[in-house]
Amino acid sequence: MARSGLAGAARVARWADPSLRPGHDGGSSDGRGALSDATAERAAAELGLTPDQVRHDWDTARLAGLVEVHGDIARPGWRLRAWNRDDSAVLRGWVALFDAWSIAHPEAADHEPAAVAEVVSAMPQVLSFLQLSAGPVPMEQLLDLLEQRVTELRTERCEIPYGPQPEPLPQQPEATAVADTPLAPLLDWALHALASVGALTYGDGHATLTPLGSWAVWVKLEQICVAAQSPAGNIEQNAEDMLRGCSQLRPNAARAEYRAWLAARPVGSAVAELLDAARGEDALLRGLAFEALRVVGGPAEPDVRAVVEKTPLRPYALLWLAEHDGIDPEDAHEVLTREEATWMWVDTAAAVADHGEAPLLVRHLESAVQPTIPALLDEVRAVGHPRTVQVLVALAAAHPDPALAKAVRRAAFQVHTGGN
């Protein structure tokens, strides 16, 4: 159902793909990602549509993430690239459209904006009721529920401050207008808007969730439940503090915490926050950030690709992308060059030295790609990691073999002094 509902949007986005590339006209002409008149007419002629249909499908493609607009430039989104091979990308695109139902089908110009905002805020409860009903629900019953919810929202906004109060001011005309706004026309608009994105059917005074709409409401409820069941209580923390809080958890518990943290945030901002944490000096957070990005999955791909040339993140990004492309995690390290693998070995050793125990650092030697300790030390000295000296000093202090420890200390001294 999601594929069929977005088929028109995907067709227009694919048609426009060549026009979105740098140096071609047609992606945007007004800084908001709208198609130019000439492009819309050309698409209509080639696709057998009207210009209005092309614009509608283009707007749907933008809301579903099939097209991404950056300033005055539009380009194909990751969901369009993954359309044929990833059903989850299609479902995520439809959920994005579902979330934007009030934008996909704008309200009438004569509706009171404040009342419209209240109805949009109240509709999740109406949708939850529709899902629980699992069948047609009369408009009158939905209107009664909507009025109750809007009343609750208005009551929640009423805050009485402490201390002596001034005389009440005369009721403002705008407030009177909002309170007196009939909700039946706004409910009619909301149901038509949700029907336009395929979330429900609406006719003969009844509304019924489609299977796709019922699934979407269930997903939203599940996300709320996941967010409410954070095992370690890190949902309100920023990414860096959340990752630090997860550093002592077992892998399964940490993944549950990542899921809860992600469920409470828009995906785009969550990914950006995780990558910011990964750019810092703490190598442990770098590794944990990419573990959290593995929980995100496909939606993180464009941002991860964007940092693949950044030195501190490159090995982690390459491994993440390899696993995302289906390479077995045990074989993913083969995508790294010898130098990249050595740099990541030092980075991981820095995390162990800062947060782990000495035996862990000694065992970390076994993960090096170099066949001998002298070869490892030579390549570690050459790789240029900023924590090389500290890692070698910590390793020398932790290793039980005096001869090997001496060689490691010598290497640390040579890196520190710039000698050979």
Side-chain angles (χ1 to χ4, degrees):
M1 289 184 68
R3 282 188 184 278
S4 61
L6 293 175
R11 178 175 56 173
V12 169
R14 281 204 187 92
W15 177 90
D17 186 0
S19 298
L20 304 182
R21 295 170 186 162
H24 291 262
D25 177 38
S28 170
S29 59
D30 61 2
R32 293 173 297 182
L35 289 177
S36 66
D37 290 341
T39 302
E41 290 171 3
R42 188 166 76 250
E46 295 184 18
L47 296 175
L49 303 171
T50 67
D52 285 343
Q53 288 174 318
V54 169
R55 291 190 180 92
H56 175 269
D57 287 341
W58 176 258
D59 288 341
T60 299
R62 291 169 58 197
L63 292 174
L66 300 177
V67 172
E68 298 173 353
V69 177
H70 301 266
D72 60 352
I73 298 175
R75 66 188 186 199
W78 74 268
R79 288 170 183 150
L80 182 66
R81 297 194 299 271
W83 182 268
N84 292 327
R85 59 179 172 82
D86 189 350
D87 289 340
S88 68
V90 179
L91 285 173
R92 286 177 185 273
W94 187 83
V95 169
L97 178 64
F98 169 74
D99 287 340
W101 62 267
S102 62
I103 301 174
H105 189 84
E107 74 279 3
D110 58 350
H111 287 159
E112 176 60 44
V116 171
E118 290 176 333
V119 169
V120 172
S121 297
M123 283 307 293
Q125 187 164 331
V126 174
L127 290 168
S128 297
F129 181 76
L130 279 166
Q131 202 230 18
L132 290 172
S133 300
V137 178
M139 171 80 164
E140 294 78 9
Q141 194 171 359
L142 295 177
L143 180 60
D144 182 60
L145 176 63
L146 178 65
E147 289 173 342
Q148 291 180 38
R149 181 56 183 152
V150 168
T151 299
E152 291 173 357
L153 291 172
R154 291 172 180 170
T155 302
E156 291 169 1
R157 288 201 304 271
C158 291
E159 299 181 0
I160 303 177
Y162 293 105
Q165 302 301 308
E167 291 296 320
L169 296 173
Q171 190 173 26
Q172 299 300 312
E174 182 181 354
T176 304
V178 173
D180 293 342
T181 300
L183 296 182
L186 288 172
L187 176 61
D188 182 71
W189 158 71
L191 294 175
H192 274 108
L194 287 159
S196 74
V197 300
L200 53 80
T201 58
Y202 178 44
D204 298 327
H206 290 75
T208 309
L209 282 182
T210 63
L212 198 56
S214 181
W215 170 82
V217 174
W218 179 84
V219 167
K220 296 298 179 183
L221 291 173
E222 184 184 49
Q223 288 176 345
I224 293 171
C225 292
V226 168
Q229 295 175 2
S230 166
N234 289 302
I235 286 181
E236 300 301 326
Q237 304 294 328
N238 59 35
E240 182 173 332
D241 290 340
M242 180 274 293
L243 293 171
R244 291 191 191 283
C246 293
S247 62
Q248 301 301 317
L249 299 178
R250 293 183 178 275
N252 286 342
R255 281 191 288 271
E257 191 73 359
Y258 301 150
R259 283 193 292 270
W261 187 85
L262 290 163
R265 288 161 177 75
V267 174
S269 62
V271 170
E273 198 173 336
L274 288 170
L275 287 172
D276 282 342
R279 291 185 180 94
E281 296 181 359
D282 194 330
L284 177 65
L285 295 189
R286 195 154 25 252
L288 292 177
F290 276 86
E291 287 300 317
L293 289 169
R294 286 178 174 84
V295 175
V296 177
E301 181 184 0
D303 295 282
V304 174
R305 289 195 184 280
V307 302
V308 78
E309 297 303 327
K310 307 297 182 182
T311 301
L313 305 185
R314 179 174 173 79
Y316 295 91
L318 289 173
L319 289 178
W320 189 98
L321 291 167
E323 293 176 25
H324 178 67
D325 290 339
I327 297 176
D328 190 294
E330 294 185 359
D331 300 326
H333 68 277
E334 296 178 3
V335 303
L336 302 180
T337 65
R338 182 73 162 247
E339 183 179 5
E340 290 163 351
T342 302
W343 194 99
M344 192 169 187
W345 185 90
V346 178
D347 204 49
T348 307
V352 176
D354 289 343
H355 302 278
E357 299 176 356
L360 289 177
L361 188 57
V362 174
R363 288 202 296 271
H364 185 56
L365 281 171
E366 300 174 2
S367 66
V369 296
Q370 290 77 8
T372 66
I373 297 299
L376 170 65
L377 294 177
D378 285 344
E379 294 185 34
V380 164
R381 289 167 53 195
V383 79
H385 192 288
R387 296 291 306 279
T388 298
V389 172
Q390 294 92 329
V391 164
L392 293 178
V393 169
L395 181 58
H399 206 284
D401 184 335
L404 190 146
K406 181 179 179 180
V408 173
R409 277 194 299 271
R410 187 188 309 116
F413 179 78
Q414 290 169 340
V415 173
H416 177 63
T417 60
N420 294 319

mmCIF file with all atom_site columns, all heavy atoms in Angstrom, residues 4 9 14 16 56 76 81 159 177 197 207 217 235 247 259 263 286 331 342:
data_model
loop_
_atom_site.group_PDB
_atom_site.id
_atom_site.type_symbol
_atom_site.label_atom_id
_atom_site.label_alt_id
_atom_site.label_comp_id
_atom_site.label_asym_id
_atom_site.label_entity_id
_atom_site.label_seq_id
_atom_site.pdbx_PDB_ins_code
_atom_site.Cartn_x
_atom_site.Cartn_y
_atom_site.Cartn_z
_atom_site.occupancy
_atom_site.B_iso_or_equiv
_atom_site.pdbx_formal_charge
_atom_site.auth_seq_id
_atom_site.auth_comp_id
_atom_site.auth_asym_id
_atom_site.auth_atom_id
_atom_site.pdbx_PDB_model_num
ATOM 1   N N   . SER A 1 4   ? 2.180   1.809   -3.543  1.00 0.00 ? 4   SER A N   1
ATOM 2   C CA  . SER A 1 4   ? 1.161   2.301   -4.473  1.00 0.00 ? 4   SER A CA  1
ATOM 3   C C   . SER A 1 4   ? 0.781   3.742   -4.144  1.00 0.00 ? 4   SER A C   1
ATOM 4   O O   . SER A 1 4   ? 0.563   4.559   -5.038  1.00 0.00 ? 4   SER A O   1
ATOM 5   C CB  . SER A 1 4   ? -0.077  1.397   -4.426  1.00 0.00 ? 4   SER A CB  1
ATOM 6   O OG  . SER A 1 4   ? -0.657  1.391   -3.133  1.00 0.00 ? 4   SER A OG  1
ATOM 7   N N   . ALA A 1 9   ? 4.555   9.962   -6.708  1.00 0.00 ? 9   ALA A N   1
ATOM 8   C CA  . ALA A 1 9   ? 5.640   10.806  -6.214  1.00 0.00 ? 9   ALA A CA  1
ATOM 9   C C   . ALA A 1 9   ? 6.997   10.260  -6.638  1.00 0.00 ? 9   ALA A C   1
ATOM 10  O O   . ALA A 1 9   ? 7.887   11.013  -7.038  1.00 0.00 ? 9   ALA A O   1
ATOM 11  C CB  . ALA A 1 9   ? 5.559   10.903  -4.690  1.00 0.00 ? 9   ALA A CB  1
ATOM 12  N N   . ARG A 1 14  ? 11.858  10.445  -9.938  1.00 0.00 ? 14  ARG A N   1
ATOM 13  C CA  . ARG A 1 14  ? 12.808  9.788   -10.846 1.00 0.00 ? 14  ARG A CA  1
ATOM 14  C C   . ARG A 1 14  ? 12.941  10.574  -12.145 1.00 0.00 ? 14  ARG A C   1
ATOM 15  O O   . ARG A 1 14  ? 14.030  10.699  -12.700 1.00 0.00 ? 14  ARG A O   1
ATOM 16  C CB  . ARG A 1 14  ? 12.337  8.361   -11.138 1.00 0.00 ? 14  ARG A CB  1
ATOM 17  C CG  . ARG A 1 14  ? 12.649  7.386   -10.027 1.00 0.00 ? 14  ARG A CG  1
ATOM 18  C CD  . ARG A 1 14  ? 12.719  5.962   -10.584 1.00 0.00 ? 14  ARG A CD  1
ATOM 19  N NE  . ARG A 1 14  ? 12.857  5.008   -9.507  1.00 0.00 ? 14  ARG A NE  1
ATOM 20  C CZ  . ARG A 1 14  ? 11.851  4.403   -8.891  1.00 0.00 ? 14  ARG A CZ  1
ATOM 21  N NH1 . ARG A 1 14  ? 10.618  4.674   -9.264  1.00 0.00 ? 14  ARG A NH1 1
ATOM 22  N NH2 . ARG A 1 14  ? 12.053  3.550   -7.916  1.00 0.00 ? 14  ARG A NH2 1
ATOM 23  N N   . ALA A 1 16  ? 12.613  13.696  -12.499 1.00 0.00 ? 16  ALA A N   1
ATOM 24  C CA  . ALA A 1 16  ? 13.329  14.948  -12.248 1.00 0.00 ? 16  ALA A CA  1
ATOM 25  C C   . ALA A 1 16  ? 14.786  14.741  -11.873 1.00 0.00 ? 16  ALA A C   1
ATOM 26  O O   . ALA A 1 16  ? 15.554  15.710  -11.857 1.00 0.00 ? 16  ALA A O   1
ATOM 27  C CB  . ALA A 1 16  ? 12.629  15.722  -11.125 1.00 0.00 ? 16  ALA A CB  1
ATOM 28  N N   . HIS A 1 56  ? 1.615   18.341  -7.480  1.00 0.00 ? 56  HIS A N   1
ATOM 29  C CA  . HIS A 1 56  ? 1.117   17.594  -6.316  1.00 0.00 ? 56  HIS A CA  1
ATOM 30  C C   . HIS A 1 56  ? 2.040   16.427  -5.993  1.00 0.00 ? 56  HIS A C   1
ATOM 31  O O   . HIS A 1 56  ? 2.427   16.210  -4.834  1.00 0.00 ? 56  HIS A O   1
ATOM 32  C CB  . HIS A 1 56  ? -0.294  17.085  -6.595  1.00 0.00 ? 56  HIS A CB  1
ATOM 33  C CG  . HIS A 1 56  ? -0.833  16.211  -5.507  1.00 0.00 ? 56  HIS A CG  1
ATOM 34  N ND1 . HIS A 1 56  ? -0.661  14.826  -5.514  1.00 0.00 ? 56  HIS A ND1 1
ATOM 35  C CD2 . HIS A 1 56  ? -1.514  16.493  -4.365  1.00 0.00 ? 56  HIS A CD2 1
ATOM 36  C CE1 . HIS A 1 56  ? -1.211  14.312  -4.431  1.00 0.00 ? 56  HIS A CE1 1
ATOM 37  N NE2 . HIS A 1 56  ? -1.740  15.294  -3.717  1.00 0.00 ? 56  HIS A NE2 1
ATOM 38  N N   . PRO A 1 76  ? 17.793  14.028  -5.198  1.00 0.00 ? 76  PRO A N   1
ATOM 39  C CA  . PRO A 1 76  ? 17.105  12.801  -4.798  1.00 0.00 ? 76  PRO A CA  1
ATOM 40  C C   . PRO A 1 76  ? 17.457  12.420  -3.364  1.00 0.00 ? 76  PRO A C   1
ATOM 41  O O   . PRO A 1 76  ? 18.607  12.518  -2.949  1.00 0.00 ? 76  PRO A O   1
ATOM 42  C CB  . PRO A 1 76  ? 17.633  11.750  -5.782  1.00 0.00 ? 76  PRO A CB  1
ATOM 43  C CG  . PRO A 1 76  ? 18.167  12.531  -6.936  1.00 0.00 ? 76  PRO A CG  1
ATOM 44  C CD  . PRO A 1 76  ? 18.663  13.827  -6.369  1.00 0.00 ? 76  PRO A CD  1
ATOM 45  N N   . ARG A 1 81  ? 16.674  6.429   -3.673  1.00 0.00 ? 81  ARG A N   1
ATOM 46  C CA  . ARG A 1 81  ? 17.756  5.546   -4.093  1.00 0.00 ? 81  ARG A CA  1
ATOM 47  C C   . ARG A 1 81  ? 17.540  4.116   -3.586  1.00 0.00 ? 81  ARG A C   1
ATOM 48  O O   . ARG A 1 81  ? 17.962  3.150   -4.216  1.00 0.00 ? 81  ARG A O   1
ATOM 49  C CB  . ARG A 1 81  ? 19.096  6.089   -3.583  1.00 0.00 ? 81  ARG A CB  1
ATOM 50  C CG  . ARG A 1 81  ? 19.470  7.452   -4.151  1.00 0.00 ? 81  ARG A CG  1
ATOM 51  C CD  . ARG A 1 81  ? 20.932  7.774   -3.900  1.00 0.00 ? 81  ARG A CD  1
ATOM 52  N NE  . ARG A 1 81  ? 21.231  7.813   -2.483  1.00 0.00 ? 81  ARG A NE  1
ATOM 53  C CZ  . ARG A 1 81  ? 21.127  8.906   -1.727  1.00 0.00 ? 81  ARG A CZ  1
ATOM 54  N NH1 . ARG A 1 81  ? 20.690  10.044  -2.275  1.00 0.00 ? 81  ARG A NH1 1
ATOM 55  N NH2 . ARG A 1 81  ? 21.448  8.868   -0.443  1.00 0.00 ? 81  ARG A NH2 1
ATOM 56  N N   . GLU A 1 159 ? -2.424  28.641  33.217  1.00 0.00 ? 159 GLU A N   1
ATOM 57  C CA  . GLU A 1 159 ? -1.516  28.613  34.353  1.00 0.00 ? 159 GLU A CA  1
ATOM 58  C C   . GLU A 1 159 ? -1.803  29.801  35.257  1.00 0.00 ? 159 GLU A C   1
ATOM 59  O O   . GLU A 1 159 ? -1.858  30.938  34.808  1.00 0.00 ? 159 GLU A O   1
ATOM 60  C CB  . GLU A 1 159 ? -0.059  28.664  33.866  1.00 0.00 ? 159 GLU A CB  1
ATOM 61  C CG  . GLU A 1 159 ? 0.310   27.477  32.989  1.00 0.00 ? 159 GLU A CG  1
ATOM 62  C CD  . GLU A 1 159 ? 1.754   27.548  32.543  1.00 0.00 ? 159 GLU A CD  1
ATOM 63  O OE1 . GLU A 1 159 ? 2.416   28.540  32.943  1.00 0.00 ? 159 GLU A OE1 1
ATOM 64  O OE2 . GLU A 1 159 ? 2.210   26.651  31.838  1.00 0.00 ? 159 GLU A OE2 1
ATOM 65  N N   . ALA A 1 177 ? -12.622 34.390  19.686  1.00 0.00 ? 177 ALA A N   1
ATOM 66  C CA  . ALA A 1 177 ? -12.803 33.774  18.366  1.00 0.00 ? 177 ALA A CA  1
ATOM 67  C C   . ALA A 1 177 ? -12.376 32.321  18.375  1.00 0.00 ? 177 ALA A C   1
ATOM 68  O O   . ALA A 1 177 ? -13.041 31.460  17.801  1.00 0.00 ? 177 ALA A O   1
ATOM 69  C CB  . ALA A 1 177 ? -12.018 34.556  17.314  1.00 0.00 ? 177 ALA A CB  1
ATOM 70  N N   . VAL A 1 197 ? -3.642  11.255  2.281   1.00 0.00 ? 197 VAL A N   1
ATOM 71  C CA  . VAL A 1 197 ? -2.342  10.593  2.375   1.00 0.00 ? 197 VAL A CA  1
ATOM 72  C C   . VAL A 1 197 ? -2.483  9.079   2.557   1.00 0.00 ? 197 VAL A C   1
ATOM 73  O O   . VAL A 1 197 ? -1.485  8.371   2.722   1.00 0.00 ? 197 VAL A O   1
ATOM 74  C CB  . VAL A 1 197 ? -1.487  11.180  3.523   1.00 0.00 ? 197 VAL A CB  1
ATOM 75  C CG1 . VAL A 1 197 ? -1.243  12.661  3.296   1.00 0.00 ? 197 VAL A CG1 1
ATOM 76  C CG2 . VAL A 1 197 ? -2.127  10.933  4.886   1.00 0.00 ? 197 VAL A CG2 1
ATOM 77  N N   . ALA A 1 207 ? -15.566 7.450   9.362   1.00 0.00 ? 207 ALA A N   1
ATOM 78  C CA  . ALA A 1 207 ? -14.133 7.361   9.058   1.00 0.00 ? 207 ALA A CA  1
ATOM 79  C C   . ALA A 1 207 ? -13.629 6.003   9.512   1.00 0.00 ? 207 ALA A C   1
ATOM 80  O O   . ALA A 1 207 ? -14.031 5.495   10.565  1.00 0.00 ? 207 ALA A O   1
ATOM 81  C CB  . ALA A 1 207 ? -13.358 8.470   9.750   1.00 0.00 ? 207 ALA A CB  1
ATOM 82  N N   . VAL A 1 217 ? -0.350  4.271   13.225  1.00 0.00 ? 217 VAL A N   1
ATOM 83  C CA  . VAL A 1 217 ? -0.747  4.667   14.576  1.00 0.00 ? 217 VAL A CA  1
ATOM 84  C C   . VAL A 1 217 ? -0.135  3.715   15.599  1.00 0.00 ? 217 VAL A C   1
ATOM 85  O O   . VAL A 1 217 ? 0.346   4.133   16.656  1.00 0.00 ? 217 VAL A O   1
ATOM 86  C CB  . VAL A 1 217 ? -2.288  4.688   14.699  1.00 0.00 ? 217 VAL A CB  1
ATOM 87  C CG1 . VAL A 1 217 ? -2.705  4.952   16.148  1.00 0.00 ? 217 VAL A CG1 1
ATOM 88  C CG2 . VAL A 1 217 ? -2.864  5.766   13.781  1.00 0.00 ? 217 VAL A CG2 1
ATOM 89  N N   . ILE A 1 235 ? 16.926  9.365   28.363  1.00 0.00 ? 235 ILE A N   1
ATOM 90  C CA  . ILE A 1 235 ? 16.188  9.956   27.238  1.00 0.00 ? 235 ILE A CA  1
ATOM 91  C C   . ILE A 1 235 ? 16.363  11.470  27.164  1.00 0.00 ? 235 ILE A C   1
ATOM 92  O O   . ILE A 1 235 ? 16.489  12.039  26.079  1.00 0.00 ? 235 ILE A O   1
ATOM 93  C CB  . ILE A 1 235 ? 14.697  9.597   27.342  1.00 0.00 ? 235 ILE A CB  1
ATOM 94  C CG1 . ILE A 1 235 ? 14.496  8.137   26.965  1.00 0.00 ? 235 ILE A CG1 1
ATOM 95  C CG2 . ILE A 1 235 ? 13.855  10.460  26.425  1.00 0.00 ? 235 ILE A CG2 1
ATOM 96  C CD1 . ILE A 1 235 ? 13.081  7.710   27.006  1.00 0.00 ? 235 ILE A CD1 1
ATOM 97  N N   . SER A 1 247 ? 27.885  3.497   28.428  1.00 0.00 ? 247 SER A N   1
ATOM 98  C CA  . SER A 1 247 ? 29.206  2.872   28.294  1.00 0.00 ? 247 SER A CA  1
ATOM 99  C C   . SER A 1 247 ? 29.394  1.679   29.222  1.00 0.00 ? 247 SER A C   1
ATOM 100 O O   . SER A 1 247 ? 30.207  0.796   28.933  1.00 0.00 ? 247 SER A O   1
ATOM 101 C CB  . SER A 1 247 ? 30.304  3.911   28.559  1.00 0.00 ? 247 SER A CB  1
ATOM 102 O OG  . SER A 1 247 ? 30.217  4.404   29.891  1.00 0.00 ? 247 SER A OG  1
ATOM 103 N N   . ARG A 1 259 ? 17.600  2.870   21.310  1.00 0.00 ? 259 ARG A N   1
ATOM 104 C CA  . ARG A 1 259 ? 16.274  2.907   20.677  1.00 0.00 ? 259 ARG A CA  1
ATOM 105 C C   . ARG A 1 259 ? 15.351  3.876   21.398  1.00 0.00 ? 259 ARG A C   1
ATOM 106 O O   . ARG A 1 259 ? 14.604  4.630   20.761  1.00 0.00 ? 259 ARG A O   1
ATOM 107 C CB  . ARG A 1 259 ? 15.664  1.503   20.652  1.00 0.00 ? 259 ARG A CB  1
ATOM 108 C CG  . ARG A 1 259 ? 16.236  0.588   19.569  1.00 0.00 ? 259 ARG A CG  1
ATOM 109 C CD  . ARG A 1 259 ? 15.388  -0.658  19.404  1.00 0.00 ? 259 ARG A CD  1
ATOM 110 N NE  . ARG A 1 259 ? 15.484  -1.521  20.571  1.00 0.00 ? 259 ARG A NE  1
ATOM 111 C CZ  . ARG A 1 259 ? 16.387  -2.484  20.717  1.00 0.00 ? 259 ARG A CZ  1
ATOM 112 N NH1 . ARG A 1 259 ? 17.272  -2.698  19.759  1.00 0.00 ? 259 ARG A NH1 1
ATOM 113 N NH2 . ARG A 1 259 ? 16.407  -3.233  21.790  1.00 0.00 ? 259 ARG A NH2 1
ATOM 114 N N   . ALA A 1 263 ? 13.808  7.202   19.731  1.00 0.00 ? 263 ALA A N   1
ATOM 115 C CA  . ALA A 1 263 ? 12.356  7.304   19.573  1.00 0.00 ? 263 ALA A CA  1
ATOM 116 C C   . ALA A 1 263 ? 11.817  8.630   20.067  1.00 0.00 ? 263 ALA A C   1
ATOM 117 O O   . ALA A 1 263 ? 10.738  9.060   19.650  1.00 0.00 ? 263 ALA A O   1
ATOM 118 C CB  . ALA A 1 263 ? 11.670  6.150   20.318  1.00 0.00 ? 263 ALA A CB  1
ATOM 119 N N   . ARG A 1 286 ? 33.194  7.891   20.271  1.00 0.00 ? 286 ARG A N   1
ATOM 120 C CA  . ARG A 1 286 ? 33.187  7.712   18.821  1.00 0.00 ? 286 ARG A CA  1
ATOM 121 C C   . ARG A 1 286 ? 32.647  6.326   18.462  1.00 0.00 ? 286 ARG A C   1
ATOM 122 O O   . ARG A 1 286 ? 31.780  6.171   17.613  1.00 0.00 ? 286 ARG A O   1
ATOM 123 C CB  . ARG A 1 286 ? 34.606  7.904   18.274  1.00 0.00 ? 286 ARG A CB  1
ATOM 124 C CG  . ARG A 1 286 ? 34.661  8.103   16.798  1.00 0.00 ? 286 ARG A CG  1
ATOM 125 C CD  . ARG A 1 286 ? 35.859  8.865   16.299  1.00 0.00 ? 286 ARG A CD  1
ATOM 126 N NE  . ARG A 1 286 ? 37.045  8.847   17.113  1.00 0.00 ? 286 ARG A NE  1
ATOM 127 C CZ  . ARG A 1 286 ? 37.482  9.895   17.817  1.00 0.00 ? 286 ARG A CZ  1
ATOM 128 N NH1 . ARG A 1 286 ? 36.791  11.010  17.830  1.00 0.00 ? 286 ARG A NH1 1
ATOM 129 N NH2 . ARG A 1 286 ? 38.595  9.822   18.529  1.00 0.00 ? 286 ARG A NH2 1
ATOM 130 N N   . ASP A 1 331 ? 33.569  -9.449  8.268   1.00 0.00 ? 331 ASP A N   1
ATOM 131 C CA  . ASP A 1 331 ? 34.397  -9.201  7.090   1.00 0.00 ? 331 ASP A CA  1
ATOM 132 C C   . ASP A 1 331 ? 34.490  -7.718  6.733   1.00 0.00 ? 331 ASP A C   1
ATOM 133 O O   . ASP A 1 331 ? 35.231  -7.355  5.820   1.00 0.00 ? 331 ASP A O   1
ATOM 134 C CB  . ASP A 1 331 ? 33.824  -9.959  5.884   1.00 0.00 ? 331 ASP A CB  1
ATOM 135 C CG  . ASP A 1 331 ? 33.788  -11.464 6.127   1.00 0.00 ? 331 ASP A CG  1
ATOM 136 O OD1 . ASP A 1 331 ? 34.695  -11.960 6.812   1.00 0.00 ? 331 ASP A OD1 1
ATOM 137 O OD2 . ASP A 1 331 ? 32.855  -12.120 5.641   1.00 0.00 ? 331 ASP A OD2 1
ATOM 138 N N   . THR A 1 342 ? 45.053  0.598   11.091  1.00 0.00 ? 342 THR A N   1
ATOM 139 C CA  . THR A 1 342 ? 45.988  0.931   12.165  1.00 0.00 ? 342 THR A CA  1
ATOM 140 C C   . THR A 1 342 ? 45.521  2.154   12.936  1.00 0.00 ? 342 THR A C   1
ATOM 141 O O   . THR A 1 342 ? 45.582  2.189   14.169  1.00 0.00 ? 342 THR A O   1
ATOM 142 C CB  . THR A 1 342 ? 47.397  1.177   11.579  1.00 0.00 ? 342 THR A CB  1
ATOM 143 O OG1 . THR A 1 342 ? 47.819  0.008   10.870  1.00 0.00 ? 342 THR A OG1 1
ATOM 144 C CG2 . THR A 1 342 ? 48.398  1.479   12.680  1.00 0.00 ? 342 THR A CG2 1
#
